[in-house]
Each structure stands twice: as C-alpha cells, then as structure tokens.
C-alpha cells in the first residue's frame, strides 16, 4: 500500500521529504542558536547536503514532466548519499576517536585559508569538535540520527525512481 503511494503521488513524496529536511534544518538552528551547540565542520557539510536534498525534492515536487521528476529525484538521491557518507564518517569518528584530538580550524577558516584540495581532506579527517557528543536522543548522537535520516531519504528516493522507471 505504501509503495502504491510512490506510483500515485510522487510529488507528494518529494514534498514530504522536503518538509522533513526543512524541519531537520530548523531543529539544527534551534540547537545552534537556542541551545548554544556550535556545529563542527562535518555537521556543516551535513547541513549543506540536507539543504541540497530539500532544494532538489522541493523543485521536483513542483509541476513538471516525468523527466524533470526523475532528474530532481536523482540529484536529491546523490545529495542524500553524500550526507549519509559524511554522517557515517562522523559517527565512526565518535565511536573511534583519534589518539590525538585537536580542535583544528573551523569550517570557514579551512575553506578561506587552504585550497579545496587541502581543506576537503581536513574536513573528513575530523577534529576534536567532530568527535564530541554534545546532544543525544535515545542513545544516538546528532550524527547517528542524521545518518538514519539520510538513509531513509535515499531509500525513499530510490524507491520512487525505481517505481517510476518500472511504470514507464
């Protein structure tokens, strides 16, 4: 029954994913500005991936043809996959912190002072900030919950693309 919804209302599925992304972004802003939790570089990259998923699913939910729906869904799937990768890496760093944890530079300091070829590996190497667990819910950190959300978005988008392709 749920899979039939992917066939009958694909734009609603995309709109629902977009709304969930906006809610997650709003919750992230609440944690940052309301609770005073500063995001680490990997958290910022996850936010950008979440913004990408929200934009692509939002555009896909607007009026358009089958090709546009598939294109926007595919781009959203790529963004969700990238976000899941970053969240999984951060979760791994939290479970296996490096021997020497240094706070390092912030995200914007890395981008401004180093070329992208050096700053991107620095982000994924992690820092002391990325291993810290400042907030938990049901035993999971923000990175753990982000990973679960990105995987759910990716599975929904993949199901949407596969169902639409088989219906064609």
């Amino acid at each position: 029954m749920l899979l039939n919804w992917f066939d009958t209302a694909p734009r609603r599925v995309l709109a629902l994913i977009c709304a969930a992304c906006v809610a997650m972004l709003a919750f992230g802003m609440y944690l940052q500005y309301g609770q005073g939790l500063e995001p680490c570089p990997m958290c910022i990259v996850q936010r950008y991936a979440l913004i990408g998923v929200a934009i692509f699913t939002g555009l896909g939910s607007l009026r358009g043809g089958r090709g546009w729906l598939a294109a926007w869904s595919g781009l959203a799937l790529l963004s969700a996959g990238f976000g899941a990768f970053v969240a999984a890496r951060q979760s791994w760093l939290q479970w296996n912190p490096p021997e020497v944890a240094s706070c390092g530079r912030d995200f914007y300091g890395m981008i401004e002072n180093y070329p992208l070829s050096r700053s991107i590996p620095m982000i994924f190497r992690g820092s002391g900030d990325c291993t810290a667990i400042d907030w938990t819910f049901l035993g999971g950190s923000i990175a753990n919950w982000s990973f679960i959300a990105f995987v759910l978005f990716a599975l929904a988008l993949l199901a949407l693309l596969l169902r639409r392709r088989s219906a064609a």
Side-chain angles (χ1 to χ4, degrees), residues 22-36:
V22 169
M24 286 178 63
L25 287 166
F27 185 67
M29 293 293 124
Y30 164 73
L31 288 177
Q32 182 176 355
Y33 296 109
Q35 299 297 314

Side-chain angles (χ1 to χ4, degrees), residues 40-41 100-107 110 122 126-132:
C40 72
V100 178
S102 65
C103 287
R105 292 185 173 267
D106 66 336
F107 179 76
M110 285 186 231
M122 289 169 68
S127 65
D129 294 345
C130 293
T131 60

Side-chain angles (χ1 to χ4, degrees), residues 2-133:
L2 181 63
L3 287 178
N4 290 337
W5 197 46
F6 287 91
D7 294 333
T8 59
R11 288 194 188 114
R12 288 185 185 156
V13 172
L14 292 176
L16 185 63
I17 293 172
C18 180
C21 289
V22 169
M24 286 178 63
L25 287 166
F27 185 67
M29 293 293 124
Y30 164 73
L31 288 177
Q32 182 176 355
Y33 296 109
Q35 299 297 314
L37 298 179
E38 284 300 315
C40 72
M42 293 181 112
C43 294
I44 293 171
V45 172
Q46 290 172 59
R47 270 191 200 171
Y48 286 136
L50 197 59
I51 289 169
V53 174
I55 288 172
F56 295 139
T57 55
L59 289 171
S61 68
L62 298 175
R63 197 178 71 153
R66 181 181 296 245
W68 283 109
L69 185 82
W72 292 123
S73 298
L75 289 171
L77 179 62
L78 288 174
S79 292
F82 177 70
F85 168 76
V86 176
R89 174 70 178 147
Q90 185 177 5
S91 293
W92 187 84
L93 283 171
Q94 289 175 346
W95 293 327
N96 304 300
E99 295 285 327
V100 178
S102 65
C103 287
R105 292 185 173 267
D106 66 336
F107 179 76
Y108 298 107
M110 285 186 231
I111 299 296
E112 289 175 357
N113 294 319
Y114 296 104
L116 257 124
S117 61
R118 279 192 65 202
S119 59
I120 290 177
M122 289 169 68
I123 291 169
F124 288 106
R125 198 172 311 122
S127 65
D129 294 345
C130 293
T131 60
I133 300 174

